[in-house]
Amino acid sequence: MMINNISLQNFRNYVDESIQFMPGTNILIGDNGQGKTNIIEGIYYLLTGKSYRVHREQELLRWEQNEFHLYGEFILNKNKVYLESHYKNRKKMVRINQVSCQRLSDFVGTINVIFFSPDDLVMIKGGPSERRRFLDLHIAQMRPGHVSLLNAYNKVIQQKGALLKSYTEKHFKYSQIQLWNEQIIELGKKIILNRADLTQRLQDAANPIYKSLTSNKEKLQVHYNALGKKTAAEAISEFSKLMDEKLEQEIDRQLILVGPHRDDLQILLDGKPGRLYASQGQQRSLVLSLKLAELELIQQEKGEYPLLLLDDVLSELDRFRRDYLIRFIESSRIQTLITMTSADNHLDSGTLYSVKQGHIRRET
Ligand SMILES: Nc1ncnc2c1ncn2[C@@H]1O[C@H](COP(=O)(O)OP(=O)(O)OP(=O)(O)O)[C@@H](O)[C@H]1O
Ligand SMILES: [Mg+2]
């Protein structure tokens, strides 16, 4: 998969700018605050319908404007794919090959993208929601139905949560809760299965990468911890029983205690939680391995590598890991966009672009 070009109009600090990208490595160089990340964010938004930085489109609008437009030309299976994203008067509109999309799932996952920035260390250091998000984002790109599944699940969770907090009489609450629980089980099972399946495949792909990053000395394991059970199968068969057991407690504490909205992805280094024991460098290796594993999984499933967007990543890695990443990208011919400041340029090949005050110029 490739991006040929993108145009950004009134998006962040861009008034009206177009860039043509090349196969292989594209390096965006500029001082701080010039607009490098904004380009990466624009491409990510065009492909996923979401920003990884903010929740509201309003913040993506160039200051004092009320509409932004993004246009991109991509290549998939040697065919051109045109994507457009428009935001005007607080309304979103997306088109793929000139046809309007009704839902996110109509276009998300057409062209896949993997984004990697130093903030991704939250996958290790942060709470379970960060790791669930990592899994869900990947699944959503592969199976757009996962987004609707999560939306439906979250709606039920909200409704059950509201019921638990309401002043409804206890005996009435019991019967109502049972109704929500049935739906939580039905939707929750599918979420658990999707996440557990991805986790297994991530482990298979990430482990050899992690091994070569650590000269075979350390082992990476990932385990999807569904409903606190050892396996997804066990969690699913005991789902209903666990809910019954916790019902009383849920009512007393006004909290939903059973369901995949509380699950975690355990990232283990030599069998111990990376969050608690991995050093800073080991944490970077864990995240790097998982990101590269994602690239491999998409390639296996779609037959083509996704686009790779690396924002400020190279300067954060030590020489060994940096060289490994660059070799990986070059040998698999993944089209990559890399941002950096001039002081950090460690690459000797690739197309160079300079980014200055919302203008981009190709240098080589
Ligand atoms: N909605 C917006 N409208 C106009 N300008 C914005 C908007 N949001 C951010 N900016 C500006 O865009 C500029 C560039 O931001 P960006 O994050 O792309 O910088 P960068 O080149 O990646 O810098 P760094 O090297 O520090 O990461 C910033 O100066 C910021 O003030
Ligand atoms: Mg930046």
Side-chain angles (χ1 to χ4, degrees), residues 12 68 184:
R12 293 280 195 189
F68 71 71
I184 290 176

Side-chain angles (χ1 to χ4, degrees), residues 31-38 40 52-53 311-312 339-340:
D31 292 340
N32 297 131
Q34 302 301 309
K36 303 180 297 294
T37 298
N38 293 346
I40 299 287
Y52 49 84
R53 290 205 279 190
D311 195 12
D312 284 337
T339 70
M340 56 178 75

Side-chain angles (χ1 to χ4, degrees), residues 117-356:
S117 86
D119 289 346
D120 284 307
L121 278 187
V122 295
M123 260 167 64
I124 311 285
K125 295 181 184 172
S129 66
E130 302 289 349
R131 288 178 286 280
R132 289 194 300 269
R133 201 166 96 94
F134 164 69
L135 291 176
D136 289 332
L137 278 175
H138 184 101
I139 302 168
Q141 286 207 53
M142 293 292 118
R143 308 192 200 320
H146 191 70
V147 180
S148 331
L149 186 60
L150 289 172
N151 287 343
Y153 180 84
N154 289 334
K155 223 181 230 171
V156 181
I157 289 290
Q158 272 174 14
Q159 281 159 325
K160 179 174 165 183
L163 176 67
L164 288 172
K165 288 197 170 66
S166 72
Y167 291 103
T168 318
E169 277 195 44
K170 212 169 177 180
H171 71 273
F172 186 65
K173 264 189 191 174
Y174 277 110
S175 59
Q176 285 287 93
I177 286 173
Q178 298 296 355
L179 291 176
W180 293 130
N181 281 357
E182 279 168 29
Q183 291 192 47
I184 290 176
I185 292 174
E186 192 193 318
L187 299 163
K189 274 181 183 174
K190 294 180 188 160
I191 295 172
I192 290 174
L193 284 175
N194 283 351
R195 289 181 183 162
D197 170 59
L198 170 63
T199 305
Q200 183 58 52
R201 291 185 300 123
L202 268 176
Q203 152 133 336
D204 296 343
N207 199 22
I209 298 171
Y210 191 76
K211 270 192 177 159
S212 24
L213 269 175
T214 58
S215 317
N216 260 331
K217 287 197 205 94
E218 296 168 11
K219 191 171 168 197
L220 155 71
Q221 282 167 295
V222 281
H223 177 73
Y224 181 61
N225 203 232
L227 312 182
K229 295 288 163 192
K230 277 215 174 73
T231 64
E234 203 180 324
I236 284 172
S237 75
E238 295 191 24
F239 208 155
S240 155
K241 187 176 127 225
L242 284 168
M243 279 190 138
D244 291 344
E245 282 170 10
K246 296 277 183 190
L247 184 60
E248 201 72 34
Q249 227 180 322
E250 286 191 322
I251 292 177
D252 290 342
R253 292 176 59 191
Q254 303 190 341
L255 266 179
I256 306 170
L257 299 172
V258 184
H261 61 289
R262 294 172 67 94
D263 286 350
D264 199 358
L265 170 76
Q266 287 183 309
I267 302 176
L268 305 168
L269 172 59
D270 288 336
K272 297 190 187 70
R275 190 169 54 88
L276 303 177
Y277 298 106
S279 71
Q280 197 80 352
Q282 284 170 325
Q283 294 187 7
R284 290 202 179 100
S285 297
L286 291 169
V287 177
L288 179 60
S289 307
L290 289 168
K291 289 280 167 182
L292 298 183
E294 282 194 277
L295 292 171
E296 289 295 354
L297 293 185
I298 293 175
Q299 199 279 338
Q300 283 167 20
E301 201 160 324
K302 300 270 186 104
E304 286 185 44
Y305 278 105
L307 301 185
L308 177 60
L309 307 177
L310 300 177
D311 195 12
D312 284 337
V313 166
L314 288 196
S315 58
E316 288 276 313
L317 296 174
D318 63 22
R319 190 169 175 168
F320 180 69
R321 293 186 190 90
R322 197 164 59 219
D323 289 347
Y324 183 92
L325 173 61
I326 293 165
R327 273 202 315 277
F328 188 99
I329 295 167
E330 286 179 350
S331 64
S332 8
R333 296 166 185 267
I334 300 173
Q335 192 195 27
T336 309
L337 272 55
I338 302 180
T339 70
M340 56 178 75
T341 54
S342 51
D344 297 324
N345 191 3
H346 309 283
L347 295 165
D348 29 51
S349 67
T351 312
L352 274 183
Y353 302 79
S354 67
V355 182
K356 202 168 178 187

Side-chain angles (χ1 to χ4, degrees), residues 10-15 33 38 58-68:
N10 286 338
F11 184 88
R12 293 280 195 189
N13 69 333
Y14 290 96
V15 180
N38 293 346
Q58 210 60 21
E59 283 144 51
L60 305 175
L61 276 175
R62 196 161 70 85
W63 292 319
E64 277 144 55
Q65 302 297 313
N66 57 18
E67 55 188 272
F68 71 71

